């Protein structure tokens, strides 16, 4: 039995009929057509599918779409405003915080959450904040620097 | 060569789409009426299949086809292996197995449905009548008499024996003062790109001449096209392979997999677009694994630390089948067994062994990390045995800078090197002398601090075609458009290395343009002339050189046009700031836009000149290149828990001339992280029944941000004369250098207790046990 859900995605409200078992990540990618959110493990560990749901970073690969009913989702596509990159996105570009780019949208969303909770994190706090996100390319050092860059930028 | 952009830290052209979520990986591509595939995979490590009943699965609404071995037998050829060695047993290997399965995760049926959830549902409705067979997962046991056989027809689990030698090994051992022996296990690991494998295929039936388009997450699109065409009996020009964004490869996407032919086959057969995206569990089960060697090492040494001979026997676990290059990988270990040292007498015997596990094949460094690991652990063992400093043993045996080009005992010719300088720079950077003094004091206080050194040389820039399994050349086209802007086509199909930026740097520099003026295209066989791909640290040294050579050709032609327009001599014209002019007369210039337009309008061509401004080069390197360096890890170990804490990590690499310092840093960082992963955390484990115990991210640990130290990077620059860029390659350096550095550091920390070796991964429990066992003595 399909269910009707209402959800706001990147500021735009929409209504869809979905199967109760449909994962949020598949809804975003296959139904809404926002493919910036990636699937890396389907077990909540790699973090490639991280989005903000009601302001909290969640792994969209293990959340059912129906659980997002009446909620507000922000994906990587909704982060830049008026064509201007979010400081975390800018940091990733400036500091070479990515290589293949597959984990990057999830990493950026995690970075946004880290800075929302603590605008002035230490290196260690950033590394701990990235606990839920895996990257196989960068060795993380440039990702940490990217988030530090963004922190600096958002404070000034 | 102008050096305005080359060597600079330039941020990447490819990043904007990747940081905004607008890039397209295979799974992001939408086509109308797309169908999805799910694979049923063996749950046994070794079993006979008596029967597969797919009738219930076929009835499920939404399912359009279920395929088993019977459906493809005689239709598809067996999977290719191009990395063969002489006299090997070559098992037949099909995309779907019938009759027998030989590892957990082996594909036995494919379901196609109009929805990815339905395809997975249908797997539960397939009934397989398995008859479990005895399993062998341990290489040493697999070679014992009476071991269960994967292929009864061979009468053994040995797939091949491959040997290499140089000098007089027996004499070396007779003349040695001592023999240092070691048995090392280089454990099985998984490459784990964050994007799993994915394939999408569409067949467009255009009457007689249909065209098959395949999107696949690969490092070698042209090679995949050749393989698909061959397996499906299609003419190659009617197959188009596209590697869009590729979310990491690390060698495992140099392979050609069964899914890469089955999905296109299904698309042709069913006349609908068909997609398969590998799950993470499938990825750990059925995408190439790496390493998995046991090394029995004997080093013949003099009392002063000189190594006069090295004899190594290698067991190399092939897993259950060969993939594209499997047997060739450990031959690289043999070729590189001398490393940066002047070891005159060597011999290696490699036994490829079949076991009930997934196949091993290329993984970042492919065979060279194994060589460096065995060699650098041996250097430390020699130092410990002779009570010498590990630095002294290395310095004593290094090839001298003035001896290059240097021919090794295994027959390779190293292009250029200065191993002493890299080691010395790393020692200075880390403050080695002081650290040793501190270590002495700490030991007196019962604290364990270790310093691990690893000097390496690697074989890169694959390579001369005669010496490589596939062609070793690379291609490029540089096309100045009528607007004066430039399109570059490269056969070096990247998966995160940033060729769109580095190749644009080379071209923009050469033509006096900006980064924005140059676009680099790759990864589409319909757009790019035949190419080889990105692996073996060949992108810049081989692919970049092809770009450089095509650039020279197109510059020559552009010079002719400009000279004709300016009525000057075409020789020695300068390309700068979008203009072309005689060196002594910058005022008299034409813009590249004017030249571009003239070349295509073709109203007034220079004599004997064709219209257009395009040039293509196929660059065949005359030799490999040999980057090198030294990595030093400094660790503290908690005696109570065996937990490791990094103090320092210093890497001095020499990759020849550097095009973009930023991307080189990135490559080294990522490489160290992967090598560190193998040293400390990563391990593919099968139990004795062949069940994969590390089949998810819950059990297979790749390093997270807080596991890693801050890397301190430095470089020496020793250009190669193999290519005009002087670039050697850096993609695998970090992985090769880091693993032995870290293990050496941990063993060094416990050396005063008498610990001589701990096999990887160095989990706290193992270290704690080593401390406990030796403290007892």
């Amino acid at each position: 039995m399909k269910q009707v859900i209402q959800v706001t995605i990147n500021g735009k409200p929409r209504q869809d009929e979905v199967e109760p078992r449909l994962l949020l990540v598949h809804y975003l990618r296959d139904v809404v057509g926002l493919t910036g959110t990636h699937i890396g493990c389907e077990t909540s560990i790699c973090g490639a599918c991280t989005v903000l749901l009601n302001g909290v970073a969640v792994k969209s690969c293990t959340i059912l779409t129906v659980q997002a009913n009446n909620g507000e989702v922000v994906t990587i596509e909704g982060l830049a405003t008026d064509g201007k990159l979010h400081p975390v996105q800018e940091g990733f570009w400036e500091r070479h915080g990515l290589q293949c780019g597959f984990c990057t949208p999830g990493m950026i969303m995690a970075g946004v959450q880290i800075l929302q909770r603590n605008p002035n994190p230490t290196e260690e706090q950033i590394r701990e904040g990235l606990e839920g996100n895996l990257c196989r390319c960068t060795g993380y050092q440039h990702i940490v620097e990217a988030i530090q860059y963004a922190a600096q930028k958002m404070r000034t | 060569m102008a050096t305005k952009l080359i060597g600079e830290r330039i941020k990447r052209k490819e990043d904007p789409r990747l940081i905004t979520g607008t890039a397209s990986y295979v799974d992001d591509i939408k086509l109308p009426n797309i169908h999805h595939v799910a694979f049923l995979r063996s749950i046994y490590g070794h079993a006979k299949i008596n029967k597969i009943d797919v009738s219930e699965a076929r009835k499920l609404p939404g399912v359009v086809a279920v395929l088993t071995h019977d459906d493809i037998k005689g239709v598809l050829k067996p999977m290719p292996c191009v990395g063969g060695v002489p006299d090997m047993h070559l098992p037949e290997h099909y995309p779907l197995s019938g009759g027998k399965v030989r590892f957990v995760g082996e594909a036995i049926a494919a379901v196609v449905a109009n929805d990815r959830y339905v395809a997975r549902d249908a797997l539960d409705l397939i009934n397989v009548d398995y008859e479990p067979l005895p399993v062998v997962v341990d290489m040493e046991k697999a070679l014992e008499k009476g071991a269960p056989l994967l292929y009864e027809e061979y009468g053994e689990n040995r797939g091949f024996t491959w040997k290499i030698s140089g000098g007089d090994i027996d004499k070396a051992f007779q003349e040695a003062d001592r023999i240092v022996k070691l048995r090392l296990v280089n454990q099985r690991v998984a490459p784990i790109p964050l994007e799993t494998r994915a394939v999408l295929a569409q067949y467009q039936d255009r009457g007689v001449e249909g065209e098959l388009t395949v999107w696949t997450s690969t490092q070698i699109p042209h090679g995949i096209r050749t393989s698909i065409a061959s397996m499906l009996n299609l003419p190659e020009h009617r197959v188009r392979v596209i590697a869009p964004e590729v979310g990491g490869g690390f060698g495992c996407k140099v392979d050609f997999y069964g899914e890469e032919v089955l999905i296109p086959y299904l698309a042709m057969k069913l006349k609908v677009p068909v997609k398969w995206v590998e799950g993470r569990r499938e990825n750990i089960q059925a995408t190439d694994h790496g390493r998995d060697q046991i090394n029995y090492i004997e080093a013949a040494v003099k009392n002063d630390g000189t190594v006069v001979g090295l004899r190594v026997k290698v067991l190399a676990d092939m897993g259950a089948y060969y993939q594209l290059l499997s047997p060739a990988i450990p031959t690289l270990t043999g070729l590189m067994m001398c490393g940066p040292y002047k070891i005159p007498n060597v011999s290696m015997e490699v036994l490829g062994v079949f076991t009930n596990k997934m196949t091993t094949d290329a993984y970042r460094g492919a065979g060279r990390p194994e060589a460096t690991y065995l060699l650098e652990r041996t250097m430390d063992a020699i130092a410990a045995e002779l009570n010498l400093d590990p630095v002294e043993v290395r310095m004593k045996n290094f090839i001298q800078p003035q001896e290059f080009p240097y021919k090794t005992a295994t027959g390779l010719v190293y292009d250029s090197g200065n191993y002493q300088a890299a080691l010395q720079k790393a020692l200075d950077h880390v403050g080695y002398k002081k650290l040793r003094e501190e270590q002495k004091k700490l030991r007196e206080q019962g604290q364990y601090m270790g310093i691990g050194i690893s000097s390496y040389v690697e074989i890169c820039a694959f390579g001369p075609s005669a010496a490589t399994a596939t062609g070793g050349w690379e291609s490029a086209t540089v096309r100045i458009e009528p607007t004066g802007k430039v399109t570059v086509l490269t056969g070096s199909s990247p998966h995160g290395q940033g060729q769109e930026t580095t190749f644009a740097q080379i071209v923009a520099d050469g033509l006096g343009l900006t980064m924005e003026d140059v676009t680099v295209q790759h990864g589409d066989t319909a757009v790019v002339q035949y190419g080889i791909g990105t692996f073996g640290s060949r992108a810049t040294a081989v692919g970049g050189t092809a770009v450089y050579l095509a650039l020279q050709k197109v510059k020559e032609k552009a010079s002719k046009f400009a000279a004709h327009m300016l009525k000057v001599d075409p020789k020695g014209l300068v390309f700068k700031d979008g203009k072309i002019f005689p060196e002594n007369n910058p005022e008299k210039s034409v813009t590249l836009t004017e030249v571009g337009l003239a070349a295509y309008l073709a109203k007034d061509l220079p004599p004997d000149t064709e219209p257009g401004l395009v040039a293509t080069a196929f660059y065949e390197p005359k030799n490999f290149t040999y980057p090198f360096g030294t990595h030093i890890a400094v660790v503290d170990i908690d005696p109570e828990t065996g937990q490791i804490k990094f103090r320092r990590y210093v890497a001095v690499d020499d990759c020849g001339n550097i095009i973009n310092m930023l991307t080189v840093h990135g490559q080294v960082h990522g490489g160290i992280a992967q090598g560190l992963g193998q040293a400390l955390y990563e391990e593919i484990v099968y139990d004795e029944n062949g069940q994969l115990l590390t089949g998810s991210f819950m059990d297979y640990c790749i390093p997270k941000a807080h596991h890693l130290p801050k890397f301190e990077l430095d470089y020496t620059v020793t250009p190669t004369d193999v290519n005009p860029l002087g670039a050697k390659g850096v993609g695998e350096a970090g992985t090769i250098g880091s693993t032995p550095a870290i293990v050496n550091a941990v063993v060094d920390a416990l050396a005063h207790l008498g610990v001589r070796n701990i096999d990887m991964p160095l989990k706290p429990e193992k270290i704690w046990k080593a401390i406990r066992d030796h403290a007892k003595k």
Side-chain angles (χ1 to χ4, degrees):
Chain A
M1 263 278 283
K2 288 198 170 183
Q3 290 187 16
V4 175
I5 56 144
Q6 287 184 326
V7 56
T8 301
I9 299 167
N10 298 332
K12 288 182 198 146
R14 57 181 290 155
Q15 182 173 312
D16 288 289
E17 225 186 26
V18 299
E19 270 194 73
R21 67 172 175 172
L22 185 70
L23 296 171
L24 180 59
V25 71
H26 286 140
Y27 169 72
L28 292 171
R29 292 175 51 81
D30 298 343
V31 180
V32 185
L34 295 173
T35 55
T37 303
H38 299 147
I39 304 169
C41 70
E42 295 178 312
T43 49
S44 267
I45 294 171
C46 81
C49 66
T50 305
V51 298
L52 300 179
L53 174 59
N54 301 323
V56 179
V58 298
K59 310 285 176 72
S60 62
C61 75
T62 37
I63 284 194
L64 298 169
T65 312
V66 290
Q67 290 176 287
N69 193 16
N70 298 317
E72 199 168 318
V73 177
V74 179
T75 71
I76 188 71
E77 290 93 341
L79 218 49
T81 43
D82 304 326
K84 202 172 171 297
L85 294 176
H86 186 281
V88 177
Q89 288 173 310
E90 200 183 305
F92 271 71
W93 193 13
E94 291 293 332
R95 292 290 182 262
H96 190 31
L98 62 147
Q99 287 175 32
C100 83
F102 195 80
C103 75
T104 307
M107 279 287 175
I108 290 174
M109 299 315 280
V112 168
Q113 178 90 96
I114 289 168
L115 298 181
Q116 273 172 4
R117 290 182 173 162
N118 179 1
N120 194 9
T122 62
E123 182 189 331
E124 203 173 333
Q125 285 167 333
I126 293 173
R127 286 184 185 267
E128 279 166 13
L130 295 172
E131 163 74 21
N133 292 69
L134 294 179
C135 172
R136 192 59 154 171
C137 293
T138 63
Y140 302 101
Q141 190 158 321
H142 285 159
I143 293 178
V144 172
E145 288 172 20
I147 296 170
Q148 285 171 327
Y149 172 97
Q152 167 94 32
K153 179 127 198 197
M154 286 163 82
R155 282 199 308 268
T156 51
Chain B
M1 189 194 306
T3 50
K4 190 164 50 120
L5 295 164
I6 288 178
E8 290 298 306
R9 301 169 66 95
I10 291 182
K11 58 182 188 173
R12 299 198 316 171
K13 285 169 81 75
E14 40 277 87
D15 287 359
R17 63 177 189 264
L18 296 167
I19 56 177
T20 54
T22 50
S24 274
Y25 299 82
V26 174
D27 193 25
D28 301 341
I29 292 161
K30 309 282 183 223
L31 297 171
N33 196 26
I34 213 159
H35 281 57
H36 298 266
V37 174
F39 285 95
L40 185 74
R41 295 178 182 276
S42 173
I43 56 171
Y44 286 100
H46 200 187
K48 222 175 115 187
I49 298 177
N50 291 324
K51 198 181 162 207
I52 306 174
D53 181 0
V54 299
S55 54
E56 289 302 311
R58 280 202 174 117
K59 282 183 216 157
L60 187 72
V63 170
V64 300
V66 183
L67 227 62
T68 66
H69 180 76
D70 290 345
D71 300 300
I72 60 163
K73 202 178 163 188
V75 180
L76 301 182
K77 292 177 192 160
M79 297 298 294
C81 169
V82 298
V85 298
D87 304 321
M88 66 177 193
H89 297 309
L90 178 59
E92 271 197 355
H93 177 203
Y94 284 95
L96 296 172
S97 282
K100 211 175 174 195
V101 283
R102 294 183 177 86
F103 70 96
V104 165
E106 184 169 0
I108 46 183
V111 173
V112 190
N114 61 6
D115 177 284
R116 69 171 94 217
Y117 285 55
V118 173
R120 287 195 190 184
D121 286 343
L123 297 181
D124 296 339
L125 302 173
I126 299 175
N127 223 324
V128 184
D129 178 9
Y130 291 104
E131 190 181 318
L133 295 168
V135 169
V136 61
V137 295
D138 179 300
M139 275 191 283
E140 285 168 327
K141 284 183 186 161
L143 292 174
E144 284 171 9
K145 255 199 161 150
L149 295 175
L150 274 82
Y151 302 94
E152 279 166 9
E153 60 271 35
Y154 303 150
E156 59 178 347
N157 289 317
R158 189 192 57 94
F160 62 85
T161 300
W162 179 86
K163 291 177 185 176
I164 191 166
S165 62
D168 187 340
I169 193 72
D170 293 332
K171 195 165 162 246
F173 273 77
Q174 281 159 17
E175 288 172 0
D177 293 328
R178 293 197 203 195
I179 313 294
V180 176
K181 292 186 185 183
L182 264 175
R183 175 186 180 275
L184 298 175
V185 178
N186 203 309
Q187 86 275 26
R188 177 176 281 247
V189 291
I192 313 278
L194 257 286
E195 182 206 24
T196 55
R197 291 187 289 126
V199 187
L200 166 66
Q202 182 179 39
Y203 186 69
Q204 285 167 308
D205 200 349
R206 295 179 185 149
V208 197
E209 293 199 336
E211 186 180 283
L212 176 68
T213 306
V214 183
W215 292 260
T216 181
S217 185
T218 184
Q219 300 171 229
I220 49 165
H222 286 91
I224 298 293
R225 180 181 66 171
T226 304
S227 299
I228 290 173
S230 155
M231 277 191 73
L232 294 175
N233 267 327
L234 285 172
E236 195 164 341
H237 66 284
R238 289 206 274 120
V239 182
R240 176 183 185 185
V241 172
I242 303 172
E245 302 295 347
V246 174
F250 313 116
C252 73
K253 291 178 185 171
V254 180
D255 203 350
F256 174 57
Y257 293 90
E259 294 88 348
E260 282 174 309
V261 64
L262 265 184
I263 305 303
Y265 172 68
L266 286 164
M268 289 180 75
K269 193 178 147 88
L270 302 171
K271 298 193 170 26
V272 290
V274 176
K275 184 195 275 185
W276 167 71
V277 181
E278 186 182 50
R280 182 55 63 186
R281 187 204 296 259
E282 286 182 296
N283 175 260
I284 303 179
Q285 283 182 346
T287 288
D288 294 340
H289 293 162
R291 318 285 188 251
D292 209 351
Q293 290 187 0
I294 300 175
N295 305 130
Y296 308 91
I297 302 155
E298 292 178 306
V301 295
K302 294 280 186 192
N303 282 331
D304 68 352
T306 308
V307 183
V308 291
L310 187 64
R311 184 154 55 198
V312 187
K313 183 177 172 182
V314 175
L315 303 189
D317 198 330
M318 295 289 108
Y321 299 91
Y322 298 133
Q323 290 277 350
L324 200 62
L325 298 167
S326 307
I329 303 302
T331 67
L332 289 169
T333 308
L335 284 168
M336 290 310 294
M337 71 179 291
C338 298
Y341 306 109
K342 224 156 57 172
I343 308 178
N345 310 295
V346 294
S347 87
M348 181 180 280
E349 181 184 61
V350 179
L351 268 64
V353 185
F354 291 123
T355 60
N356 292 114
K357 293 183 275 190
M358 175 56 200
T359 305
T360 55
D361 203 302
Y363 170 47
R364 200 169 190 169
R368 293 100 84 200
E370 295 91 322
T372 302
Y373 186 71
L374 77 86
L375 205 48
E376 289 307 281
R377 291 288 300 115
T378 300
M379 287 295 155
D380 269 29
I382 292 167
E385 178 102 3
L386 300 174
N387 207 15
L388 296 169
D389 190 294
V391 172
E392 199 184 334
V393 176
R394 286 174 174 82
M395 287 290 190
K396 182 147 284 211
N397 288 288
F398 275 152
I399 298 159
Q400 299 300 310
Q402 67 276 11
E403 290 174 308
F404 292 93
Y406 178 86
K407 189 167 185 187
T408 70
T410 59
L412 299 173
V413 179
Y414 293 170
D415 51 354
S416 62
N418 189 343
Y419 308 142
Q420 293 80 352
L423 172 55
Q424 194 56 54
K425 200 164 190 178
L427 294 172
D428 294 345
H429 194 120
V430 83
Y432 186 68
K433 260 193 170 164
K434 270 196 170 165
L435 274 173
R436 281 285 176 217
E437 285 161 18
E438 193 183 346
Q439 183 185 44
K440 216 172 163 188
K441 280 183 200 149
L442 287 170
R443 278 182 178 166
E444 284 161 12
Q445 296 160 19
Q447 292 186 52
Y448 304 156
M449 185 260 272
I451 310 158
I453 298 166
S454 158
S455 293
Y456 71 91
V457 58
E458 53 165 330
I459 181 168
C460 277
F462 284 45
S465 295
T468 46
T470 56
W473 48 268
E474 194 50 89
S475 75
T477 294
V478 177
R479 188 169 72 219
I480 301 174
E481 310 284 5
T483 55
K485 308 294 182 197
V486 183
T487 305
V488 178
L489 311 177
T490 171
S492 275
S493 189
H495 43 288
Q497 292 87 347
Q499 272 105 287
E500 287 176 37
T501 305
T502 47
F503 290 3
Q505 277 177 265
I506 293 171
V507 172
D509 241 15
L511 291 174
L513 296 173
T514 66
M515 290 295 287
E516 291 72 32
D517 293 330
V518 184
T519 296
V520 178
Q521 296 189 357
H522 53 78
D524 183 343
T525 63
V527 173
V528 176
Q529 64 290 333
Y530 206 103
I532 302 296
T534 292
F535 53 89
S537 293
R538 70 193 304 279
T540 305
V542 188
T545 298
V547 168
Y548 178 78
L549 295 178
L551 167 72
Q552 303 315 311
K553 286 189 194 177
V554 89
K555 265 181 92 168
E556 197 184 322
K557 192 166 179 191
S559 291
K560 274 189 195 168
F561 274 98
H564 185 69
M565 292 160 83
L566 294 169
K567 300 193 170 32
V568 298
D569 188 340
K571 277 193 190 125
L573 289 180
V574 175
F575 290 67
K576 202 178 165 193
D577 300 332
K579 292 177 191 159
I580 308 175
F581 51 84
E583 195 178 4
N584 54 6
N585 192 1
E587 300 304 311
K588 188 173 183 171
S589 71
V590 281
T591 64
L592 204 58
T593 310
E594 288 164 336
V595 171
L597 200 60
Y600 290 91
L601 282 177
K603 305 285 186 202
D604 180 18
L605 296 174
D608 305 319
T609 309
E610 291 175 0
L613 271 181
V614 191
T616 297
F618 281 65
Y619 166 63
E620 170 65 40
K622 62 178 190 255
N623 190 4
F624 297 97
T625 62
Y626 295 89
F628 60 90
T630 291
H631 287 213
I632 299 181
V634 187
V635 302
D636 286 308
I637 292 174
D638 182 340
E640 302 292 321
T641 63
Q643 196 78 41
I644 293 166
K645 212 175 144 195
F646 279 93
R647 273 192 186 208
R648 303 280 296 279
Y649 193 98
V650 171
V652 174
D653 296 293
D654 192 320
C655 55
N657 288 336
I658 288 170
I659 307 293
N660 187 339
M661 190 53 104
L662 201 61
T663 57
V664 165
H665 272 311
Q667 290 293 307
V668 175
H669 285 184
I672 295 171
Q674 274 181 312
L676 181 148
Q678 177 172 18
L680 300 183
Y681 304 110
E682 297 181 36
E683 182 178 28
I684 286 282
V685 182
Y686 289 87
D687 74 7
E688 56 187 18
N689 298 314
Q691 288 302 324
L692 181 58
L693 301 182
T694 49
S696 79
F697 282 156
M698 292 292 281
D699 331 291
Y700 189 88
C701 175
I702 79 167
K704 294 179 177 179
H706 63 83
H707 287 135
L708 297 174
K710 194 173 186 125
F711 313 123
E712 302 166 48
L713 267 45
D714 210 338
Y715 301 89
T716 60
V717 177
T718 312
T720 178
D721 61 2
V722 170
N723 61 63
L725 295 175
K728 289 190 166 186
V730 76
E732 291 146 311
T735 311
I736 293 171
S738 61
T739 312
I742 292 161
V743 177
N744 280 345
V746 172
V747 175
D748 180 61
L750 308 178
H752 61 297
L753 302 177
V755 174
R756 288 290 172 267
N757 185 48
I758 308 173
D759 280 322
M760 302 181 287
L762 302 180
K763 294 182 178 171
E765 183 197 3
K766 269 194 203 171
I767 295 171
W768 177 81
K769 271 187 184 159
I771 295 170
R772 186 198 57 182
D773 293 349
H774 284 81
K776 270 187 204 161
K777 285 175 190 169

